[in-house]
């Protein structure tokens, strides 16, 4: 039997309605949430996602600026822009897109005003997150937890395996799952016997950036599979999970597109509301 689809688009749409109402309430108090998206033009910049975020902001009444620096921009240009946005009262949240290698991303993250850290990536906010303060939580993991919640399945005691340990996806989602009393393991590029690990997972989260690397034979029957990957292959968007084979084994699965992606954008806006409180 085919897996049940976890419909991220539908859940994100519901959340959007709530965000719209929250924005209207904030505007009554003369507060308008304002998002600045910063990207340096490059293959990793995800320009189309920036445009999608801008459209979503427009649809719920959030002010949004997209700052696209040209590919030759250096560290000083990015830092100067972040400083300018930190000081701009119209901007309540700053979202930095993946930077090309010649930019020191860590220095950029340190430069963000922690109160405008809509991504929850500033060391101060990450530290607070680890001791249980939930105001600034990375938005993709937050969206993933919402998708898991939508299945109605209790996570307590379940074996969760996360393939990928990045600071904005894999690691934080692991902490959120631990908080729900799941038993959590991380796999990464140096993990041996990946299949043995993934086959034990009641909840399998995959965020590696390798198209369709998880196949049906690597999944426990009935598992919940969350595919975070977004890879352009031959002009089509595919996940890190081979949907057709995994769909035959898993109990639940997120589609790509229409799973984690829309939730990520909705949770970004949700975090932005939090930055205004
Ligand atoms: P990163 O490149 O930052 O991290 C990738 C992780 O995967 C690393 O921990 C790496 O291990 C691990 N990895 C790489 N190859 C393997 C392998 N063969 N076996 C096991 N683990 C492996 O990626 P991100 O976390 O930023 O993103 C991952 C994917 O999710 C990408 O496709 C990205 O586009 C997508 N994404 C989608 C979002 C959405 O909203 N849908 C949001 C954010 C990301 P190591 O640490 O050892 O290098």
């Amino acid at each position: 039997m085919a897996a049940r689809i976890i419909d991220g688009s539908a859940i994100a749409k519901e959340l959007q309605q709530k965000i719209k109402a929250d924005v209207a309430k904030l505007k009554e108090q003369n507060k308008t949430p304002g998002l600045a998206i910063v990207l340096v033009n490059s293959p990793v910049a995800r320009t189309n996602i920036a445009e999608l975020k801008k459209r979503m902001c427009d649809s719920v009444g959030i002010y949004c600026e997209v700052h696209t620096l040209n590919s030759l921009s250096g560290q000083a240009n990015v830092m100067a822009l972040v400083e300018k946005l930190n000081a701009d009262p119209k901007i309540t949240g700053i979202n930095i897109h993946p930077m090309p290698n010649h930019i020191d991303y860590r220095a950029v993250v340190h430069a963000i005003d922690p109160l405008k850290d809509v991504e929850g990536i500033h060391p101060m906010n990450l530290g607070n997150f680890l001791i249980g303060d939930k105001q600034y939580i990375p938005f993709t993991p937050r969206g993933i937890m919402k998708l898991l919640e939508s299945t109605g399945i209790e996570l307590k005691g379940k074996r969760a395996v996360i393939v990928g340990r990045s600071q904005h996806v894999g690691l934080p989602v692991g902490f959120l799952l631990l908080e729900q009393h799941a038993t959590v393991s991380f796999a990464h590029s140096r993990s041996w016997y990946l299949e043995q690990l993934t086959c034990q997972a009641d909840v399998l989260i995959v965020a590696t950036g390798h198209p369709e690397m998880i196949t049906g034979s690597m999944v426990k029957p009935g598992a919940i599979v969350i595919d975070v990957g977004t890879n352009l292959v031959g002009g089509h968007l595919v996940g890190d999970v081979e949907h057709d084979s995994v769909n035959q084994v898993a109990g639940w699965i997120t589609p790509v597109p229409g799973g984690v992606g829309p939730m990520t954008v909705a949770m970004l806006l949700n975090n932005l509301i939090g930055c205004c409180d």
Side-chain angles (χ1 to χ4, degrees):
M1 200 173 71
R4 293 173 72 175
I5 298 292
I6 305 176
D7 188 345
S9 299
I11 300 166
K13 223 171 232 163
E14 269 175 37
L15 188 60
Q16 243 175 292
Q17 292 311 314
K18 180 189 165 295
I19 292 167
K20 202 171 183 173
D22 289 345
V23 172
K25 273 191 214 139
L26 282 169
K27 285 186 173 171
E28 281 167 17
Q29 303 161 37
N30 286 327
K31 294 181 189 170
T32 300
L35 177 68
I37 300 170
V38 176
L39 52 100
V40 175
N41 219 349
S42 73
V44 295
R46 301 181 183 155
T47 317
N48 53 346
I49 297 182
E51 282 153 14
L52 173 71
K53 288 173 180 170
K54 168 104 176 66
R55 280 201 301 279
M56 287 271 279
C57 283
D58 292 345
S59 73
V60 295
I62 289 175
Y63 174 74
C64 179
E65 297 173 354
V66 179
H67 295 268
T68 308
L69 299 176
N70 79 50
S71 58
L72 298 175
S73 301
Q75 189 77 26
N77 303 94
V78 181
M79 299 297 263
L81 177 57
V82 169
E83 285 307 327
K84 189 169 146 252
L85 296 169
N86 281 343
D88 185 341
K90 289 198 302 304
I91 300 303
T92 54
I94 302 172
N95 176 206
I96 310 284
H97 274 218
M99 294 268 141
N101 287 338
H102 69 276
I103 304 288
D104 179 354
Y105 175 72
R106 201 175 280 204
V108 177
V109 168
H110 273 268
I112 298 173
D113 177 348
L115 298 174
K116 295 190 177 187
D117 176 26
V118 69
E119 294 182 70
I121 50 171
H122 188 280
M124 194 182 100
N125 291 325
L126 271 180
N128 283 336
F129 165 50
L130 294 186
I131 59 168
D133 180 341
K134 295 280 171 12
Q135 191 169 0
Y136 298 88
I137 301 183
F139 45 75
T140 300
R142 200 171 216 171
I144 291 170
M145 295 309 288
K146 197 91 184 155
L147 293 171
L148 289 173
E149 192 188 306
S150 76
T151 65
I153 292 172
E154 192 180 22
L155 297 170
K156 186 163 58 178
K158 296 273 187 318
R159 180 87 196 246
V161 174
I162 300 155
V163 188
R165 55 175 169 180
S166 70
Q167 281 183 4
H168 54 283
V169 184
L171 270 185
V173 87
F175 282 107
L176 291 170
L177 282 161
L178 267 180
E179 253 188 10
Q180 296 296 313
H181 311 295
T183 303
V184 178
S185 306
F186 291 95
H188 45 78
S189 66
R190 275 80 150 190
S191 295
W192 291 359
Y193 313 120
L194 181 63
E195 183 163 347
Q196 285 181 18
L197 255 177
T198 56
C199 274
Q200 292 176 41
D202 303 302
V203 177
L204 179 62
I205 317 269
V206 190
T208 64
H210 286 280
E212 301 184 322
M213 68 168 280
I214 300 293
T215 57
S217 65
M218 300 171 80
V219 172
K220 180 176 176 179
I224 307 176
V225 179
I226 305 285
D227 186 356
V228 185
T230 46
N231 312 285
L232 255 188
V233 178
H236 296 283
L237 205 57
V238 297
D240 294 348
V241 169
E242 190 185 64
H243 190 90
D244 289 351
S245 63
V246 173
N247 191 31
Q248 297 307 312
V249 183
W252 298 81
I253 191 168
T254 54
V256 176
V260 176
M263 281 309 288
T264 289
V265 181
M267 280 298 174
L268 162 64
L269 306 192
N270 190 60
N271 277 8
L272 192 71
I273 303 287
C275 290
C276 276
D277 283 346

